[in-house]
Amino acid sequence: MLSRRIVPCLDVRDGRVVKGVRFRDHIDCGDIVELARRYRNEGADELVFYDITASPEGRDVDVGWVERVARELDIPFCVAGGIRSVEQARRVLHAGADKVSINSPALQRPALIAELADAFGVQCVVLGVDSLRDDDGDWRVRSLSGDPSRMKAHAKPTLEWIAEGVKLGAGEVVLNCIGSDGVRGGYDIEQLRAARAVCPVPLVASGGAGAKQHFIDVFQRADVDAALAASVFHDGSIDIGELKATLASAGVPVRQAAIPDIAGMASA
Amino acid sequence: MEPPANIPRVALIDAGGANLGSVRYALARLGVDAMVTSREDEIARADRIILPGVGAAGPGMRLLRERGLLDVLRDPPAPLLGICLGMQLLFDGSEESDVECLGLLPGLVSRLPESPGIRVPHMGWNALSALRATPLLDGIQAGEQAYFVHSYAAPVTSDCVAECEHGIRFAAVVQRGLIAGAQFHPERSAAPGSQLLRNFIGLGARDRSMQAAGEAACPA
C-alpha cells in the first residue's frame, strides 16, 4: 500500500534555509545540505525547497545548491520558486531535482503547466497553489506570496484553478492554505477536503501543522497524499520519527524510518 | 573515500531523461564514477549498462533510435538495468503513445487504472514484495519501501522478481538473464535503492555479481 508522505519544506533565501511566520520576518536556520541530511535521517519521505526570494524578484533559481543537495540526498526533492520557463525547469531538473513546483508563473501563463508536462512528463510538474478564503466565503488564489507587500489577489476560485491545472498536466498539487499558515492551529481540513474532491492526482496539504494530531486529522479527514510542514520540524517541536510512529498507530500507512546514513557518508 | 577494487565500468546512457544526474550521483555515493554516454562503442565496452529515464515512452524510444542505440540495447554486451521509463522500454511495447519498445522482455506496459483512493501518477513510497530470490534483491528486506513516480506500469510476468501494488499489482523489479529493471527510482529510494544498485554493479554485501547470476540463468 502506498504510504502517506511527510514532507518538510525548507524556505531558501540566498542559499541558506530561513523561516518566517505568515511569510514574514525571516530568520536564518542553517545550511541547506546539513538540514536536508538531518531530515532525511529522521525519516522525511521527500523534501521541498522553496526559493522564497526568486519569484517576487524575477530571479532565476540558483542551481548550485540544487546540485549540492542532489549529490548528497537519496530521497526525492522538489524545487519551487522562480521557475517560469521550460529552460529554467530543465536546469533545475538536470541539476538533480526530481520535481519542479510552479505557482505565480502558472497563474500568469497557465500554458506553462502543459509545456512542462510535455517536456518532462506530468510526474515532474507540481502545481503550488496559495489560497485564502475571501469575505464572501469563497477560496481564491493568491500569487507572489513570497513578499507580502507584493502579494496579489486573483479572481480565480481555488477549486477551479486546481481542476484546470490538473487538466493542463500538473502531476501533483500542493495546496497552501494561507489563512492557517504559520499559526500552528491545524491544517484547513474543510478547504483540503473540497480540493480533494476536484483533484485526481496526488494532493499535498500545506499550512497550519502544529501538533501530531493535526497530521492524523489531515490524512484521515481530508484524504491527502502528503502533509507538508516547516517550522514544527525546524524547531524540533515535532520529531519526524515519533510522528510516523503516532501516525502508524492511528492506522495511517507510513514508511517507517529505520535508516542507516546515506551510502558513502558513513565511511567518509 | 577510496574506491573499492575491481570497480566495473558503468555506462550510464544519456537518453535525455531528467534523472540522469541523480543516478550518476547515486553511483558516485557507491564509489562508482559512471561514464555518461550515448555512444554505441562506449556502451559496448562497459561492464554494466544503466538506462535511466523519465518522461514518456514515445519520445524515449525516438531518442534511442536517433542516437543509434537500438542494436546495442537489443543485444546488450553486459548486464543492463533499466530504471523507471528505462525499465518500461525493455518490454515489447507501451500503450503510452502506442509505441514499440526494445522487446527484451515479453509484455505490454499499460496505464495504471484510477479508482477511488487510487491516484495516478502513483507517487510516493510503496512496499516491495519479492516473488523469487535473486542476487539483485540481496539485502533488501521483505516489505521495504521504495520511491515510485509513474503513470504506466509493466505486468507481473515470470520475469518479475518483485511486485508492488497500487490498485493493481505491477512489476517493481524484473530480471531475465542479463536484463534487469526497476520501476522505482533506486537513486531516490534511500537504503533499499542503494542496495539494489550495489547488487547490480556487483558491490553487494556478499559480493555476488549479477554477471554470475545472469550466466547461471542463461547459459550460452
Side-chain angles (χ1 to χ4, degrees), chain A residues 101-183:
Chain A
S101 179
I102 51 170
N103 186 328
S104 309
L107 280 167
Q108 287 154 14
R109 201 171 65 80
L112 176 60
I113 300 171
E115 291 168 13
L116 293 172
D118 284 347
F120 310 113
V122 298
Q123 70 284 340
C124 288
V125 185
V126 181
L127 178 63
V129 177
D130 287 326
S131 173
L132 193 61
R133 176 166 246 165
D134 285 319
D135 293 339
D136 64 2
D138 284 344
W139 297 295
R140 291 196 187 80
V141 297
R142 297 291 187 274
S143 65
L144 301 171
S145 54
D147 179 350
S149 66
R150 300 180 59 207
M151 185 165 82
K152 280 189 200 162
H154 286 252
K156 215 177 271 260
T158 301
L159 301 182
E160 275 177 33
W161 176 229
I162 290 172
E164 185 185 343
V166 170
K167 202 168 284 180
L168 285 167
E172 181 170 70
V173 173
V174 177
L175 179 58
N176 184 46
C177 305
I178 296 178
S180 45
D181 186 59
V183 294

Side-chain angles (χ1 to χ4, degrees), chain B residues 153-200:
Chain B
V156 176
T157 64
S158 57
D159 299 320
C160 178
V161 295
E163 66 172 18
C164 181
E165 186 170 353
H166 184 61
I168 59 164
R169 294 156 63 230
F170 62 88
V173 183
V174 294
Q175 188 181 5
R176 181 192 187 100
L178 299 184
I179 309 300
Q183 177 59 66
F184 64 89
H185 285 273
E187 73 278 16
R188 286 285 178 256
S189 291
S194 70
Q195 185 62 50
L196 182 114
L197 290 174
R198 291 178 74 90
N199 292 343
F200 174 70

Side-chain angles (χ1 to χ4, degrees), chain A residues 1-5 40 44-46 67 69-77 93-99 118-126 170-172 196 199-203 223-225 254-256 258-260 262-265 267-268, chain B residues 1 14 16-22 24-26 28-31 53-56 59 84 96 111 114 116-127 144-151 164-166 185-192 194-195 198:
Chain A
M1 184 189 281
L2 183 60
S3 291
R4 306 288 170 146
R5 286 171 278 151
R40 181 268 182 209
D45 296 307
E46 186 175 322
E67 193 179 318
V69 171
R71 280 181 189 279
E72 285 228 17
L73 205 60
D74 60 2
I75 61 169
F77 71 99
L93 291 169
H94 282 191
D98 299 279
K99 303 187 262 192
D118 284 347
F120 310 113
V122 298
Q123 70 284 340
C124 288
V125 185
V126 181
E172 181 170 70
R196 173 80 285 168
C199 183
V201 300
L203 176 66
D223 192 23
V224 296
D225 298 277
V254 288
R255 178 178 71 115
Q256 287 301 345
I259 302 178
I262 296 171
M265 302 285 306
S267 55
Chain B
M1 191 174 79
D14 181 1
N19 65 337
L20 183 71
S22 311
R24 185 162 64 87
Y25 299 147
R29 290 194 290 270
L30 299 176
V54 164
C84 195
E96 189 180 24
R111 191 174 161 84
E114 281 171 29
I118 299 296
R119 262 78 76 173
V120 178
H122 174 222
M123 185 184 286
W125 297 80
N126 204 334
E144 260 192 290
Q145 300 196 11
Y147 186 77
F148 292 84
V149 189
H150 59 121
S151 301
C164 181
E165 186 170 353
H166 184 61
H185 285 273
E187 73 278 16
R188 286 285 178 256
S189 291
S194 70
Q195 185 62 50
R198 291 178 74 90

Side-chain angles (χ1 to χ4, degrees), chain B residues 43-68:
Chain B
I43 294 167
R45 286 201 303 270
D47 302 312
R48 296 289 187 278
I49 305 165
I50 297 181
L51 178 63
V54 164
M61 280 305 293
R62 192 168 61 235
L63 212 68
L64 294 179
R65 187 173 299 112
E66 282 168 7
R67 295 186 175 177

Side-chain angles (χ1 to χ4, degrees), chain A:
Chain A
M1 184 189 281
L2 183 60
S3 291
R4 306 288 170 146
R5 286 171 278 151
I6 298 297
V7 184
C9 177
L10 295 86
D11 287 351
V12 173
R13 174 177 273 180
D14 300 327
R16 303 280 296 176
V17 175
V18 296
K19 68 175 176 183
V21 175
R22 287 181 184 272
F23 296 101
R24 293 172 190 274
D25 307 327
H26 297 102
I27 57 165
D28 191 283
C29 322
D31 177 66
I32 297 176
V33 172
E34 241 166 67
L35 278 163
R37 190 188 310 158
R38 188 188 112 196
Y39 289 130
R40 181 268 182 209
N41 289 345
E42 284 180 9
D45 296 307
E46 186 175 322
L47 299 177
V48 172
F49 296 95
Y50 180 26
D51 192 332
I52 56 167
T53 53
S55 200
E57 293 171 20
R59 294 190 323 190
D60 269 10
V61 171
D62 164 21
V63 297
W65 65 261
V66 178
E67 193 179 318
R68 279 204 300 138
V69 171
R71 280 181 189 279
E72 285 228 17
L73 205 60
D74 60 2
I75 61 169
F77 71 99
C78 176
V79 172
I83 294 158
R84 49 174 50 76
S85 70
V86 169
E87 263 328 293
Q88 286 171 322
R90 192 187 312 279
R91 288 175 54 224
V92 171
L93 291 169
H94 282 191
D98 299 279
K99 303 187 262 192
V100 291
S101 179
I102 51 170
N103 186 328
S104 309
L107 280 167
Q108 287 154 14
R109 201 171 65 80
L112 176 60
I113 300 171
E115 291 168 13
L116 293 172
D118 284 347
F120 310 113
V122 298
Q123 70 284 340
C124 288
V125 185
V126 181
L127 178 63
V129 177
D130 287 326
S131 173
L132 193 61
R133 176 166 246 165
D134 285 319
D135 293 339
D136 64 2
D138 284 344
W139 297 295
R140 291 196 187 80
V141 297
R142 297 291 187 274
S143 65
L144 301 171
S145 54
D147 179 350
S149 66
R150 300 180 59 207
M151 185 165 82
K152 280 189 200 162
H154 286 252
K156 215 177 271 260
T158 301
L159 301 182
E160 275 177 33
W161 176 229
I162 290 172
E164 185 185 343
V166 170
K167 202 168 284 180
L168 285 167
E172 181 170 70
V173 173
V174 177
L175 179 58
N176 184 46
C177 305
I178 296 178
S180 45
D181 186 59
V183 294
R184 303 195 180 193
Y187 291 96
D188 185 341
I189 302 291
E190 186 190 356
Q191 186 173 182
L192 287 159
R193 279 175 67 102
R196 173 80 285 168
V198 300
C199 183
V201 300
L203 176 66
V204 183
S206 168
K212 288 179 209 156
Q213 185 63 39
H214 296 155
F215 290 85
I216 297 175
D217 289 344
V218 78
F219 287 122
Q220 290 187 337
R221 295 174 55 205
D223 192 23
V224 296
D225 298 277
L228 181 150
S231 59
V232 289
F233 297 141
H234 297 332
D235 69 14
S237 60
I238 293 181
D239 174 88
I240 295 173
E242 287 172 22
L243 170 61
K244 286 190 154 184
T246 305
L247 285 167
S249 49
V252 177
V254 288
R255 178 178 71 115
Q256 287 301 345
I259 302 178
D261 207 343
I262 296 171
M265 302 285 306
S267 55

